[in-house]
Each structure stands twice: as structure tokens, then as C-alpha cells.
Amino acid sequence: MMASMEKRSLGRGRVSVPVVGLGTWQRLEAAAASGQDRELLDTAIATGIRLIDTSPMYGDAERLLADGLGANRDQVVIADKIWTPSAERGEAQLARAVDWYGGRVDLMQIHNLVAWSAHLPMLEAARDRGLVGLIGATHYSAAAFGDLAELMATGRLDTIQVPYNPVEREVERAILPLASELGLGVLLMRPLGEGQLVRRPPGPAELAPLHPFGITTWGQALIKWGLSDPRVHVSLAATAHPGRLAENAAAGSPPWFGPEERAYVLRLAAMH
Ligand SMILES: NC(=O)c1ccc[n+]([C@@H]2O[C@H](COP(=O)([O-])OP(=O)(O)OC[C@H]3O[C@@H](n4cnc5c(N)ncnc54)[C@H](OP(=O)(O)O)[C@@H]3O)[C@@H](O)[C@H]2O)c1
């Protein structure tokens, strides 16, 4: 599975990355609480995961990520965020992240569009100095997609990060078409609906029609559902359990679902 995970390009072809990444919201701290944070990161890399998303909003996650990666830092694309209403604190968050990640953050995102007009020029200047690779913006709420679309249309972003799963499909209306038109990289948050969608999974008989697509678990079906839209580049499934990484990464290989299988997954999600 390591060799066969598909790679897609972010930032108009500048960064090529395997399609299953790793989210760290609450889960990296949970792994640390059970002494498994380094194992989680080592296993992620061994499994072929090459993009890890974090944020100052996620408690100690940024530091745990930096410490846990250690000498493996250059093997992964770090997708970090600026999350503060203050321009000064934004600069401090960038400086801290640059320090943690060996002099450079590969993708720096404006978390939930907070104070984006203050942070964006600062990030553009940092990119000119080589401290930041790509620049992105995130939002978790469909209510903010109008604002996100306006920012996307300025041409100043390389990537966006938005929720997309069978019960959160608002991005289909305007955000994914615009991202595709502009050539923006798209990172998916909440592929498993923060875990809610995997609480009562369909049984083996219901999953059987998806076996030809390499699917053996409901978590994989959900991850593959999002990645089967070619306008999407990376799915950020989060877990605290090293043992789940291979399962999740296996959903990042072709064959991809067609319209029929995507509709089938939607029906299963609605039933469970
Ligand atoms: N505004 C923003 O910028 C924003 C907002 C939300 C999320 N994000 C990013 O997107 C990432 C992903 O979103 P998310 O963490 O909210 O939710 P998610 O990835 O949809 O779901 C994570 C949950 O699913 C469980 N899980 C993972 N793999 C599983 C599997 N194979 N089978 C069963 N359960 C599984 C995890 O529990 P276990 O740990 O027990 O496996 C965890 O509780 C975040 O970590 C964060 O990096 C960004």
C-alpha cells in the first residue's frame, strides 16, 4: 500500500504529495497521553503518509509534531496555521513554527480566515524570504464559504482546507468548482465527520460491493469517497492510533469510486 498511494499536486504543481495525510486536532495529544505520539508519527511515515496538518489551536500538537518528527522532518510536508486576531501574535506564531520545523513551514494556512487581511501580507513576505512554501486558508463552516470564495478569487492562495464528507457536502456548490478553476490545492478536513460517521459502521455485506475498490472498512470507504472527487488533493484523516494508519492510507490508492459507488456510499451513510 505504501508504494501505491496516489500522489497529487498542490499549489499549481509545486508540491506533490500522497493523497492521505494526517490531521492532529486532539488526536496527537491523545497519542502523547498514552505515550504513542512518536510511534504514531513514525508509523505514519512508514505507511507513506507525507503531509501532516496542525495548528496553534490544537494545544500542544505543533510542538509534539516537531519533537516527534525529529530527524524525519524533511520527509513530510508540514501544513501549519496562523490562528489569532492579532497581527503581532500572528508573526510570533510564524516565527515559532519556523523554528520548530527547521527553518521553514511548507504550507502555512490562515485558520478559519481569522484576521486574514493582517496575516496574508505577512505570509507573502515570509514566502519571499523562503520561510514559507505555500499559502492557504481554511474554514470549517459553510456560513463562511462566501468569504472564502472571495479570498480564493484574489489569486493570493495556493490551497484551501474545507470539510467534505457524505453529510457535509456544501463545498460541491461553489468552493470545489472555484478551486478547480483556479488550480488551487484542496485539503479535506473531517473526512470521517470527526469520527461521528464511523460510530455505527455498515456491516461486511454492505461493504462487499466496494471490495473491488480495495475497501475493507467503512473508514476507508469514507476516505475514498472524498478522494474520488478529482478536485480534491489530500484527505486529512486524524487518528491517535498507530494501528489505524495503514487502514486509512490504503484508501489512498486507485481504483477510485465512480458516480455509482459514490452514490452507494451516500446511501450507506444515510442509513447508519
Ligand atoms: N478549521 C480547520 O482548519 C479545521 C477544522 C477541523 C479539522 N481540521 C483538520 O482536519 C483534520 C481531520 O479532521 P478531524 O480530526 O476533525 O476529523 P476526522 O479525521 O474526520 O475524524 C477523526 C476521528 O475519527 C477516528 N478515526 C480515524 N480513523 C479511523 C478509522 N479507520 N476507523 C474508525 N475511526 C477512525 C479518530 O479516532 P481515533 O483517534 O480513536 O482513531 C477520530 O476520533 C484535523 O485533525 C485537523 O488537522 C482543520
Side-chain angles (χ1 to χ4, degrees):
M1 94 205 40
M2 194 168 122
S4 57
M5 215 202 299
E6 182 165 301
K7 285 183 164 188
R8 294 184 189 166
S9 289
L10 291 174
R12 300 175 188 87
R14 280 187 286 155
V15 177
S16 175
V17 66
V19 290
V20 175
L22 180 67
T24 62
W25 178 57
Q26 295 186 334
R27 307 323 295 149
L28 189 54
E29 285 184 322
S34 60
Q36 288 186 299
D37 48 324
R38 278 167 198 265
E39 187 189 341
L40 185 78
L41 297 171
D42 286 350
T43 309
I45 290 171
T47 310
I49 287 169
R50 290 290 180 275
L51 184 145
I52 305 183
D53 180 74
T54 190
S55 170
M57 191 202 253
Y58 306 160
D60 217 12
E62 288 173 291
R63 187 192 59 76
L64 288 169
L65 177 59
D67 286 355
L69 285 172
N72 287 328
R73 156 66 184 100
D74 288 339
Q75 301 229 37
V76 299
V77 170
I78 299 285
D80 201 350
K81 306 193 190 81
I82 301 292
W83 180 63
T84 168
S86 147
E88 291 73 31
R89 285 187 61 83
E91 279 186 54
Q93 287 180 356
L94 175 67
R96 197 177 58 170
V98 163
D99 195 39
W100 270 328
Y101 300 119
R104 177 186 158 92
V105 178
D106 307 292
L107 165 61
M108 198 46 131
Q109 306 157 101
I110 300 169
H111 198 144
N112 292 346
L113 299 177
V114 175
W116 71 261
S117 57
H119 302 319
L120 188 52
M122 182 273 288
L123 290 178
E124 289 169 334
R127 183 175 56 192
D128 292 344
R129 289 162 57 213
L131 302 177
V132 163
L134 305 176
I135 296 176
T138 80
H139 213 292
Y140 70 93
S141 167
F145 288 171
D147 292 342
L148 179 61
E150 274 181 37
L151 182 52
M152 290 162 70
T154 65
R156 294 167 75 183
L157 297 180
D158 300 303
T159 70
I160 56 166
Q161 185 185 146
V162 286
Y164 190 38
N165 62 53
V167 300
E168 290 183 288
R169 298 176 54 201
E170 293 86 352
V171 290
E172 289 176 350
R173 201 160 359 117
I175 296 293
L176 289 179
L178 182 60
S180 170
E181 183 190 322
L182 297 170
L184 297 189
V186 175
L187 283 69
L188 292 193
M189 62 174 80
R190 305 205 293 230
L192 308 169
E194 298 181 348
Q196 309 247 23
L197 293 174
V198 274
R199 292 237 165 93
R200 284 178 290 116
E206 288 170 301
L207 292 178
L210 302 175
H211 283 179
F213 296 83
I215 299 299
T216 56
T217 72
W218 180 230
Q220 291 176 331
L222 292 166
I223 294 169
K224 184 159 269 194
W225 182 88
L227 289 170
S228 292
D229 187 318
R231 298 169 296 188
V232 167
H233 301 90
V234 176
S235 178
L236 297 169
T239 181
H241 296 105
R244 278 186 170 156
L245 291 164
E247 173 189 338
N248 293 353
S253 303
W256 302 107
F257 294 155
E260 232 174 80
E261 293 80 27
R262 292 192 94 217
Y264 181 63
V265 171
L266 289 181
R267 286 202 297 280
L268 288 180
M271 281 160 49
H272 285 271

